Amino acid sequence: TVSLEHRLYIVERITFERRLESVEWWTREPVSRDYVRVWLKSQSGGLEAAVYVDRGTGKRFVHGFYD
């Protein structure tokens, strides 16, 4: 279960998109990330999001939403 903007969603599906490995052009320290597409479902409808996982820390971040 995921909470976004005070709404609860259930993860329906996750699809791997791409991996960035040791990229450093926008930051001083190289970053490694896995990007995934996530389909979320709630009582009020569905939502599709782009999420990345920081491979160094394991933290997950919503990068954006799809129309």
Side-chain angles (χ1 to χ4, degrees):
T1 304
V2 177
S3 174
L4 294 171
E5 297 181 355
H6 306 292
R7 291 189 180 133
L8 293 177
Y9 293 88
I10 295 172
V11 177
E12 275 192 327
R13 185 172 22 137
I14 300 173
T15 304
F16 179 81
E17 292 281 318
R18 71 185 57 84
R19 173 171 282 174
L20 297 181
E21 186 66 48
S22 299
V23 176
E24 57 185 324
W25 59 267
W26 74 81
T27 181
R28 292 181 186 187
E29 297 292 323
V31 297
S32 296
R33 295 177 177 171
D34 285 337
Y35 283 85
V36 296
R37 187 176 287 215
V38 179
W39 284 264
L40 304 170
K41 185 177 180 180
S42 74
Q43 291 179 346
S44 62
L47 182 64
E48 190 175 352
V51 175
Y52 72 87
V53 180
D54 183 304
R55 296 184 68 230
T57 65
K59 291 183 179 179
R60 295 170 220 85
F61 300 90
V62 175
H63 185 75
F65 297 97
Y66 294 96
D67 284 335

